[in-house]
């Protein structure tokens, strides 16, 4: 017995970790939680082992944590590309928002730019279409106006639904106007004025006989309406581009469900 004790003391003296400069390595850091084994020993025989379900859950979490850390440290290429495009979109929108506030560089032209945007609003277009429909006396004119009214109503409902679903804010903190609240055009994505301008211009180009200068002016008007919404800080560039695409798709849908003259006359008589 004494021989075994002397051998143990000699082994402790020869252990490098028992030297003074390495004693701190054997001591746990301050404030560190007590190991589970020691806590289980201190609790005595009355302590019960954790349930099997909790142990399995802890093992699954320990296996999942490294993967989550890797995903955060190494994001996917799609995520990097999306964030880069989003940053470019925000930067361009803020640079083009030259009429966004009173302190902006083009603040004096804000009223004129807003007036250009109002030409693409839904309320004036719906009111003007109904007025022309009442004044029209030809079957062909009533047919075109009824389908145009259908397209305008479809545009308002589509834009309001998508905006309510996405809820994207504009690049600047600008409050919507009263007309925007009436047409539920409150959020930024997509731009309702841009979708309406694209749909109306394409509708007129397809169903009206216009000279070449008028066709060019119609396309320029749709472009200016979309640009004006970016200049006053209500929409991002991608909001306007998406609005143009949605407006074209709405025109194609109206062309597919085009109401004939008989249906239009029935709706007019019922109204």
């Amino acid at each position: 017995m004494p021989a075994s004790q002397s051998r143990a003391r000699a082994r402790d003296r020869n252990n490098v970790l028992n030297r003074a400069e390495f004693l701190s390595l054997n001591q746990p850091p301050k404030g560190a939680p007590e190991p589970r084994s020691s806590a289980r020993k201190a609790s005595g025989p009355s302590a019960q082992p954790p349930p099997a379900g909790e142990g399995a859950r802890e093992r699954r979490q320990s296996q999942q944590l490294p993967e989550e850390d890797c995903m955060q440290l190494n994001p996917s290429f799609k995520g990097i590309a999306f964030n880069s495009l989003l940053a470019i979109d925000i930067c361009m929108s803020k640079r083009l928002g030259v009429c966004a506030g009173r302190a902006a560089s083009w603040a004096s032209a804000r009223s004129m730019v807003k007036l250009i945007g109002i030409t693409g609003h839904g309320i004036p277009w719906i009111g003007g279409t109904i007025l022309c429909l009442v004044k029209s006396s030809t079957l062909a004119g009533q047919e075109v106006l009824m389908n145009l009214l259908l397209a305008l109503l479809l545009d308002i409902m589509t834009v309001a639904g998508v905006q309510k679903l996405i809820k994207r804010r504009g690049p600047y903190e600008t409050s919507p106007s009263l007309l925007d609240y009436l047409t539920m055009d409150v959020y930024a994505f997509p731009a309702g004025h841009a979708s309406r301008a694209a749909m109306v211009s394409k509708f007129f180009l397809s169903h009206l006989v216009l000279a070449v200068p008028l066709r060019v002016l119609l396309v320029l008007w749709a472009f200016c309406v979309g640009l004006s919404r970016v200049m006053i800080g209500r929409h991002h560039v991608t909001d306007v581009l998406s609005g143009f695409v949605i407006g074209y798709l709405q025109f194609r849908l109206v062309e597919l469900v085009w109401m004939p003259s008989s249906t239009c006359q029935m709706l007019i008589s019922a109204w």
Side-chain angles (χ1 to χ4, degrees), residues 57-227:
R57 193 185 308 109
E58 291 178 357
R59 285 195 298 272
R60 286 196 299 270
Q61 291 178 355
S62 62
Q63 293 174 359
Q64 293 174 358
L65 285 177
E67 297 178 359
E68 295 177 357
D69 293 340
C70 292
M71 290 176 64
Q72 293 178 359
L73 293 175
N74 301 314
S76 63
F77 174 77
K78 293 182 179 179
I80 295 175
F82 177 77
N83 292 331
S84 301
L85 292 176
L86 188 63
I88 294 173
D89 178 34
I90 295 175
C91 181
M92 290 180 58
S93 303
K94 286 186 175 294
R95 286 182 176 273
L96 291 175
V98 293
C99 303
R102 296 180 178 178
S105 57
W106 288 19
S108 59
R110 179 178 173 83
S111 300
M112 184 180 64
V113 174
K114 289 185 69 176
L115 183 61
I116 296 175
I118 290 176
T119 60
H121 204 280
I123 296 298
W125 276 103
I126 291 177
T129 304
I130 293 176
L131 181 61
C132 294
L133 185 61
V134 172
K135 298 293 184 179
S136 178
S137 58
T138 60
L139 296 179
Q142 292 175 356
E143 178 183 351
V144 172
L145 290 171
M146 279 297 298
N147 284 277
L148 177 59
L149 182 61
L150 172 65
L152 291 171
L153 295 176
L154 175 65
D155 175 76
I156 289 178
M157 290 187 294
T158 302
V159 171
V162 177
Q163 285 189 359
K164 192 67 175 178
L165 182 65
I166 303 298
K167 293 184 178 180
R168 187 188 189 188
R169 299 289 183 180
Y172 292 92
E173 293 294 333
T174 57
S175 58
S177 62
L178 179 60
L179 293 177
D180 293 334
Y181 281 110
L182 291 177
T183 55
M184 296 172 289
D185 189 4
V186 180
Y187 295 99
F189 184 89
H193 293 66
S195 67
R196 199 167 303 113
M199 186 266 296
V200 168
S201 60
K202 182 61 177 174
F203 191 93
F204 285 169
L205 291 174
S206 299
H207 296 285
L208 296 181
V209 180
L210 300 174
V212 176
L214 292 178
R215 289 175 173 269
V216 175
L217 288 176
L218 196 59
V219 175
L220 288 177
W221 166 77
F223 174 77
C224 291
V225 168
L227 181 61

Side-chain angles (χ1 to χ4, degrees), residues 5-67:
Q5 292 179 356
S6 62
R7 284 196 298 271
R9 285 195 295 270
R11 189 166 53 250
D12 292 339
R13 285 194 301 270
N14 295 330
N15 191 1
V16 180
L17 296 178
N18 289 331
R19 295 181 182 179
E21 57 270 20
F22 296 110
L23 286 177
S24 60
L25 300 176
N26 297 328
Q27 298 177 359
K30 294 182 180 180
E34 189 177 359
R36 295 180 181 177
S37 59
S38 61
R40 193 180 298 115
K41 290 179 182 179
S43 59
S46 60
Q48 297 180 357
E54 294 183 0
R57 193 185 308 109
E58 291 178 357
R59 285 195 298 272
R60 286 196 299 270
Q61 291 178 355
S62 62
Q63 293 174 359
Q64 293 174 358
L65 285 177
E67 297 178 359

